Amino acid sequence: MGDRDLSMGPREGVTYPLKVQYCGNCSMPIEYCEYYPEYDKCKQWLEKNLPTEFEKVKIDEEENAGGEEEKKRQKRGGKGMLKSKKKEDVPKLVQVSRAPRGKKKSVTVVSGLSTFDIDLKVAAKFFGTKFACGSSVTGDDEIVIQGDVKDDLFDIIPEKWPEIDEDSIEDLGDQKR
């Protein structure tokens, strides 16, 4: 049952690609040229050396261009240029609260520092070194500091960032996270 004569050629009903053609510019198969950063040079090479393939590419582009703007391709790197959100007129207010963590332990939550254009990662690092504890950025505008350091923050925040005065720091008391 397993003995098949391989010299018979292709099986009936199965089509095989004739030959993969490679681009002389980017050295990739022609169907992948559009993902190459210098796609215009690939198109020029195709037009000059393989005009029939260039016509196919041109027809495909015309079909895809129907009502769609030019594709914005990512050049290199992670998420590219992230668009910053427009800031609404949010009141400039820093809120400090304490949340329980386990039975006897607690964390201090600071929010609202980004309304003063303060980098949250830098602030978290500062709080961690100042209080010799763990501190991290969670959420959009929230820093969690391990331990109950709420009372110390009323003095330290205006000292570190003079644009924040003591009146713009609000104590929310104990809260659930």
Side-chain angles (χ1 to χ4, degrees):
M1 182 164 124
D3 298 333
R4 181 169 184 265
D5 187 14
L6 298 176
S7 64
M8 293 188 332
R11 288 184 288 168
E12 197 174 313
V14 178
T15 58
Y16 294 96
L18 296 173
K19 186 178 178 186
V20 176
Q21 293 181 329
Y22 293 91
C23 176
N25 184 47
C26 64
S27 72
M28 289 193 280
I30 291 171
E31 54 268 13
Y32 294 109
C33 282
E34 64 182 285
Y35 302 109
Y36 190 66
E38 297 170 356
Y39 181 45
D40 297 330
K41 290 182 181 179
C42 290
K43 283 201 287 189
Q44 290 171 0
W45 185 89
L46 268 176
E47 187 176 17
K48 185 177 169 187
N49 297 312
L50 298 170
T52 56
E53 293 295 323
F54 177 71
E55 289 299 321
K56 291 178 188 175
V57 169
K58 208 161 96 173
I59 291 170
D60 289 345
E61 282 182 356
E62 289 173 0
E63 288 175 3
N64 292 339
E68 191 177 324
E69 290 183 21
E70 181 183 325
K71 287 184 180 178
K72 295 178 182 172
R73 215 176 304 132
Q74 180 178 333
K75 295 293 181 195
R76 180 147 183 145
K79 294 181 180 173
M81 297 289 288
L82 293 175
K83 294 180 182 175
S84 60
K85 297 176 184 173
K86 292 183 180 177
K87 294 182 180 176
E88 295 101 28
D89 293 330
V90 178
K92 291 191 171 189
L93 184 67
V94 176
Q95 297 175 332
V96 179
S97 64
R98 191 174 70 102
R101 184 178 76 95
K103 295 187 179 188
K104 293 182 181 178
K105 297 185 178 188
S106 62
V107 294
T108 306
V109 180
V110 181
S111 59
L113 285 176
S114 65
T115 59
F116 290 94
D117 294 330
I118 294 172
D119 187 10
L120 296 179
K121 288 184 180 180
V122 173
K125 177 85 171 172
F126 170 74
F127 292 140
T129 55
K130 184 73 176 177
F131 299 121
C133 64
S135 176
S136 62
V137 178
T138 59
D140 290 340
D141 182 23
E142 187 178 77
I143 297 176
V144 176
I145 306 167
Q146 291 180 0
D148 184 9
V149 294
K150 184 175 69 172
D151 298 333
D152 300 332
L153 288 174
F154 290 103
D155 299 328
I156 290 172
I157 291 176
E159 185 181 305
K160 172 74 174 168
W161 296 284
E163 65 265 21
I164 304 174
D165 57 343
E166 289 184 29
D167 298 332
S168 61
I169 301 174
E170 182 183 7
D171 185 4
L172 298 178
D174 288 357
Q175 301 231 327
K176 288 253 184 194
R177 282 189 71 213

